Amino acid sequence: MTDLELLHFEELKKDVQAQYLKDHSPSYDDISKWKGIDIIYFQEDLRKKAKGNISEKSFYTYFKSSPVTKLPRIDMLNLLSIYAGYSSWYEFKKKHLFADEILSEDKDLNDDELQELEKTISSALNLPETDQTPSKIIKTEAKNDDLQNNNSDNQTIKEKNNSQENSLQSLKKEQKKNYQKAIWIAASSIFIVLAGLLGFKDEIFQKTYTYCFTDADRNLSVQRDIEIKVIKENESPIFYRIKPGECFVYPSKDKNLKMQISSTVYENLEINRNLENAPEKETIALKPDDYKMAVYYFSIKDIQGANTEELIKQKRKQLESRISNDAVITQVYDSDIYGVETLDKQKYITLVTTPTTSLKNLKLIEMKKDKGKIVSIKFKISNNENNQ
């Protein structure tokens, strides 16, 4: 990467900013000062015109500082170039050549690659020759020793003694082999029994508990996804996701159970059970959360048609009545530069009542109430794209 590449990218950022300012009026004209809802609207326009997206983390990395010290990935450069009105990053550079700049589509070898190539060629030219010297054949003359002649009687006695010794050795080897085989069979049997006990110990000692969920107001089965976090002492939490209408089946040999239950439209609930005397099947009632239901409705409802303005007014009115004027509202970001941002009540209501696709990724982290009013909200708009 050359300094010219970075200069080209700075020019591309200016074209992207100019393209957005044609149809929008952000808080600041300078793209490096955008944040919060301005970035969300820019992401929406990018998806609409270039059929792609960049994450909020990438925006802060490449647009908040100038000049940048590193170049984004080529897919992000192509996406921004298309948004600015060019077919690709290469075409953008071609239209903005600097003095004496020669643009080539072929990538030249850098110094490291040239050195590696030189080493490879050098090694090939200095390969050692294969030694083709035939091996020497050493001939040795067999020595013929004079054998002592024995008489036939001595040979007969020796043959009998050798035969008896061979029989005794064969018998000892057979007995030893049978003894080792018996020990091996006994050890294998003990190992199989122990392995069976270890493999089925959980099934032997554990019990299965079933928890079903109903709507406390309607007394009907919950028709929303439910997230359950099982908390064990000195262990990391275990997360489960229960589909609408299904029950939570939990096999365990523990004496106690602690779980936290949450859903998109119900109040959070913490359950503690002593499993030594707890029933194996239980129904848990979840209380609907008015605020969560409102945000969930705003996130999935398609606001289009003749009554668009009326629906938005209705939504704003509902949130006005539920949120305290002094509420502390915080948005959490993925960016390493900007971790959190505080929003006032009106700005937050504008954010969650504006029909953008980003609302589908809105996740409520924490909410507190006092005397029927919401006094604290912490939320995050999760990133869901490939460009990082």
Side-chain angles (χ1 to χ4, degrees):
M1 180 182 67
T2 64
D3 292 337
L4 289 178
E5 293 280 314
L6 296 177
L7 292 176
H8 278 304
F9 181 58
E10 293 296 328
E11 291 296 322
L12 177 59
K13 287 162 59 175
K14 295 179 182 178
D15 280 18
V16 169
Q17 173 183 299
Q19 178 65 29
Y20 184 77
L21 292 177
K22 290 180 180 179
D23 303 316
H24 301 82
S25 300
S27 303
Y28 300 93
D29 289 344
D30 188 351
I31 194 171
S32 65
K33 296 181 180 180
W34 296 355
K35 62 180 180 178
I37 195 169
D38 291 329
I39 299 176
I40 292 174
Y41 287 157
F42 169 68
Q43 290 174 320
E44 190 74 15
D45 198 44
L46 188 65
R47 281 190 286 265
K48 179 180 178 182
K49 294 180 179 178
K51 309 303 181 184
N53 193 25
I54 63 172
S55 67
E56 192 172 7
K57 181 179 180 180
S58 297
F59 183 90
Y60 278 98
T61 300
Y62 297 110
F63 286 90
K64 281 293 183 179
S65 59
S66 181
V68 294
T69 57
K70 64 178 181 178
L71 206 62
R73 289 179 356 196
I74 185 63
D75 52 352
M76 179 176 171
L77 292 171
N78 286 330
L79 178 65
L80 294 174
S81 299
I82 292 172
Y83 179 79
Y86 302 89
S87 62
S88 66
W89 168 241
Y90 176 77
E91 185 191 0
F92 174 82
K93 292 190 294 180
K94 189 175 180 181
K95 299 289 186 180
H96 296 78
L97 291 177
F98 294 104
D100 300 327
E101 180 184 8
I102 299 176
L103 190 61
S104 175
E105 293 183 277
D106 297 326
K107 180 181 177 183
D108 297 329
L109 294 175
N110 56 36
D111 294 339
D112 294 336
E113 291 172 332
L114 288 173
Q115 291 177 3
E116 187 67 25
L117 183 59
E118 290 175 358
K119 290 180 181 178
T120 303
I121 296 173
S122 177
S123 300
L125 294 176
N126 293 290
L127 289 174
E129 295 183 358
T130 305
D131 187 6
Q132 300 295 336
T133 305
S135 58
K136 295 181 180 180
I137 301 175
I138 302 176
K139 296 182 179 180
T140 58
E141 295 183 358
K143 295 182 179 180
N144 296 322
D145 295 333
D146 293 335
L147 300 176
Q148 183 178 1
N149 295 325
N150 296 323
N151 57 40
S152 59
D153 293 338
N154 290 337
Q155 288 180 350
T156 303
I157 293 172
K158 286 184 178 182
E159 288 176 359
K160 289 182 179 179
N161 291 335
N162 290 336
S163 178
Q164 291 177 354
E165 289 176 1
N166 291 335
S167 298
L168 290 173
Q169 289 179 358
S170 299
L171 181 61
K172 289 180 180 179
K173 289 181 179 179
E174 187 68 23
Q175 291 176 346
K176 184 178 181 180
K177 184 177 180 181
N178 291 335
Y179 177 74
Q180 292 175 342
K181 184 177 181 180
I183 293 177
W184 185 87
I185 293 174
S188 300
S189 301
I190 295 173
F191 176 79
I192 292 173
V193 173
L194 292 176
L197 291 176
L198 292 174
F200 293 95
K201 69 175 183 177
D202 290 337
E203 285 75 10
I204 296 173
F205 299 106
Q206 76 179 8
K207 294 176 64 177
T208 300
Y209 302 89
T210 303
Y211 298 94
C212 299
F213 305 93
T214 60
D215 189 303
D217 292 348
R218 301 172 180 83
N219 198 26
L220 298 174
S221 177
V222 171
Q223 298 302 314
R224 293 284 185 271
D225 285 349
I226 297 175
E227 293 184 354
I228 297 177
K229 180 167 66 175
V230 176
I231 301 175
K232 293 186 176 184
E233 188 175 358
N234 299 325
E235 291 185 18
S236 300
I238 304 174
F239 294 88
Y240 300 88
R241 180 179 290 275
I242 310 302
K243 295 182 179 179
E246 293 185 355
C247 297
F248 175 47
V249 180
Y250 181 68
S252 176
K253 60 182 182 296
D254 297 334
K255 296 181 179 180
N256 297 287
L257 172 62
K258 180 179 181 181
M259 58 182 177
Q260 296 177 351
I261 304 169
S262 61
S263 176
T264 54
V265 296
Y266 293 94
E267 292 184 355
N268 295 341
L269 182 64
E270 183 172 299
I271 299 293
N272 292 279
R273 290 289 182 270
N274 182 355
L275 298 181
E276 291 182 335
N277 53 15
E280 295 185 5
K281 188 170 184 179
E282 183 178 352
T283 299
I284 299 175
L286 300 181
K287 186 176 180 181
D289 188 304
D290 293 337
Y291 171 78
K292 285 186 178 180
M293 292 184 72
V295 172
Y296 179 80
Y297 173 82
F298 299 160
S299 300
I300 65 173
K301 189 68 176 177
D302 186 15
I303 308 177
Q304 294 181 358
N307 297 326
T308 299
E309 294 183 0
E310 187 63 27
L311 288 174
I312 293 177
K313 289 180 180 179
Q314 182 181 352
K315 292 179 180 183
R316 294 184 65 92
K317 185 176 180 181
Q318 291 174 351
L319 289 178
E320 285 279 358
S321 63
R322 290 186 173 94
I323 302 176
S324 170
N325 293 331
D326 299 324
V328 178
I329 305 173
T330 307
Q331 180 179 0
V332 180
Y333 294 95
D334 287 332
S335 170
D336 297 332
I337 302 174
Y338 292 86
V340 295
E341 181 183 0
T342 302
L343 286 73
D344 58 35
K345 176 180 176 180
Q346 295 303 321
K347 190 173 182 180
Y348 173 76
I349 292 175
T350 299
L351 174 64
V352 297
T353 56
T354 302
T356 65
T357 56
S358 299
L359 279 183
K360 294 182 179 180
N361 297 326
L362 189 147
K363 180 180 180 182
L364 181 67
I365 300 175
E366 183 183 67
M367 183 191 69
K368 295 180 181 179
K369 295 181 180 179
D370 185 23
K371 298 178 181 179
K373 290 282 188 178
I374 299 170
V375 296
S376 176
I377 300 172
K378 183 182 290 185
F379 71 100
K380 175 183 178 182
I381 298 179
S382 303
N383 293 323
N384 188 22
E385 58 269 2
N386 296 324
N387 294 329
Q388 297 294 336

